Amino acid sequence: MGEHPDAAVVRRAATAFQQGDLDTLATTLTADVVQHVPGDHMLSGHHKGRDACLQLYRTEYEETGGTLRVDVETVMPDGRGHVISGQHCHAERGNRTLDMKTGLFFTIVGGKISDIDYCVEDIDAANAFWGK
């Protein structure tokens, strides 16, 4: 059996993200996509719309000087429009290092990502890394 289509769209998005290919990444997102980022730092909050999400990703790349690496470890669809991915995230920013497991909970609508909930292993460490 092949990969579930919902898992495939998440893998396609993850590969585009890892490669910094925001044009391809944009094709995997609905126009009204929302990404929820936990914590209390400069990236926290609800990023509403494709353009806002792409700006979030640009900011992550810029703030980490291109050191951001996200290695996908698992992608698990439920067959009902949801996918959970587990990954390992590593980045450097100034004299700070982020090195932790993270997770994303995706909602898929019409073959595209419409909602992303981001979870981190250590919210305090994420807050310290990203700062205000």
Side-chain angles (χ1 to χ4, degrees):
M1 296 184 85
E3 184 171 50
H4 191 278
D6 292 347
V9 73
V10 167
R11 284 193 194 278
R12 191 166 58 253
T15 298
F17 182 87
Q18 291 166 344
Q19 295 172 348
D21 182 355
L22 296 182
D23 291 335
T24 298
L25 182 55
T27 69
T28 67
L29 306 173
T30 62
D32 62 348
V33 63
V34 179
Q35 177 151 359
H36 313 276
V37 179
D40 183 23
H41 55 77
M42 64 183 286
L43 302 177
S44 297
H46 307 286
H47 303 269
K48 299 176 183 180
R50 184 184 299 127
D51 291 341
C53 289
L54 294 173
Q55 184 55 51
L56 167 67
Y57 309 144
R58 281 187 204 93
T59 301
E60 289 176 325
Y61 294 136
E62 291 166 5
E63 289 290 326
T64 62
T67 64
L68 178 62
R69 273 193 340 265
V70 178
D71 299 314
V72 176
E73 297 173 346
T74 187
V75 175
M76 299 174 288
D78 71 355
R80 297 176 291 124
H82 302 104
V83 177
I84 294 175
S85 70
Q87 52 269 330
H88 189 95
C89 181
H90 179 87
E92 296 173 10
R93 184 169 180 250
N95 63 351
R96 294 172 266 184
T97 299
L98 184 70
D99 191 32
M100 71 173 66
K101 291 184 184 276
T102 61
L104 295 167
F105 181 82
F106 298 90
T107 301
I108 311 296
V109 175
K112 293 189 176 195
I113 299 166
S114 68
D115 195 83
I116 309 165
D117 278 301
Y118 181 49
C119 299
V120 296
E121 186 174 42
D122 185 338
I123 289 177
D124 292 335
N127 286 340
F129 179 78
W130 290 111
K132 289 279 183 182

